[in-house]
Amino acid sequence: MRKRRPADGPAADEADDWTAATVEAAAVRLLARREHSRVELSRKLRARGMPDELVDEVLGSLAARRLQSDERYAESLVNSRVSRGQGPVRIRRDLSQQGIPEAEIDAVLAAAPVDWYDLARDTRRRRFGTGVPAEWKERARQARFLQYRGFTGDQIREAIGD
């Protein structure tokens, strides 16, 4: 577990001393490390004891200045997960859990420069080799693996060779 650095904000007994500047500084430090969704960033700031209304105000300001963007976060997450061999079902679930609206998820997945069928085949090939499974038991095992990775039934059937 990481220890909280003094620069991360005042101690719990100084919770009344939060200002927009300190909340914004904490948010910008988090965003400097990686992209965050608005919901995720809000959760992290509130966990530090920052007041809800101040967090909402600062996040609105950051979004207006494009320092925080759910769209940019979603694109970053999709690219990261595609490079790890994960499919659209799992990526959609992860984006939804981070508070990204369904319409935005649809747009980001549609705009992703990936052929999901090719990705499913490549993911199966990297894990199990080039040979297509002949036995039903092995096909089921590979299908479960691809399902866990977040591919659809059609993509799985195509990857296994049905």
Side-chain angles (χ1 to χ4, degrees):
M1 181 179 220
R2 286 191 330 209
K3 291 185 178 180
R4 179 184 283 189
R5 297 185 322 237
D8 282 346
D13 58 343
E14 301 172 12
D16 295 335
D17 294 339
W18 292 110
T19 65
T22 57
V23 173
E24 183 172 320
V28 169
R29 272 194 304 279
L30 289 168
L31 289 168
R33 293 181 192 133
R34 68 170 178 86
E35 293 288 342
H36 288 73
S37 71
R38 183 179 178 120
V39 169
E40 179 182 28
L41 197 55
S42 174
R43 191 178 316 129
K44 286 184 176 187
L45 294 173
R46 286 182 171 116
R48 294 179 179 186
M50 298 177 185
D52 294 349
E53 57 279 345
L54 204 51
V55 169
D56 292 338
E57 173 189 326
V58 167
L59 291 182
S61 170
L62 291 174
R65 295 183 325 210
R66 301 277 302 152
L67 294 174
Q68 186 279 322
S69 167
D70 280 349
E71 181 181 331
R72 207 170 45 233
Y73 169 77
E75 290 170 359
S76 173
L77 189 130
V78 167
N79 291 334
S80 168
R81 299 300 167 84
V82 165
S83 70
R84 291 176 10 189
Q86 293 181 357
V89 174
R90 184 165 178 177
I91 294 171
R92 176 180 297 279
R93 184 200 67 210
D94 292 345
L95 286 170
S96 182
Q97 287 176 344
Q98 292 304 325
I100 306 299
E102 284 297 318
E104 202 167 313
I105 293 172
D106 292 339
V108 169
L109 287 174
V114 62
D115 180 346
W116 298 109
Y117 290 92
D118 283 345
L119 183 61
R121 276 191 295 275
D122 291 344
T123 301
R124 189 203 68 76
R125 205 173 299 127
R126 277 184 296 191
R127 172 72 180 210
F128 300 106
T130 57
V132 177
E135 295 181 14
W136 181 87
K137 188 174 181 179
E138 181 60 21
R139 292 171 88 78
R141 185 171 83 93
Q142 291 184 20
R144 280 191 307 274
F145 169 76
L146 291 172
Q147 184 179 22
Y148 169 75
R149 284 294 185 101
F151 293 99
T152 66
D154 289 342
Q155 294 160 353
I156 292 170
R157 281 189 288 281
E158 177 85 17
I160 292 177
D162 277 349

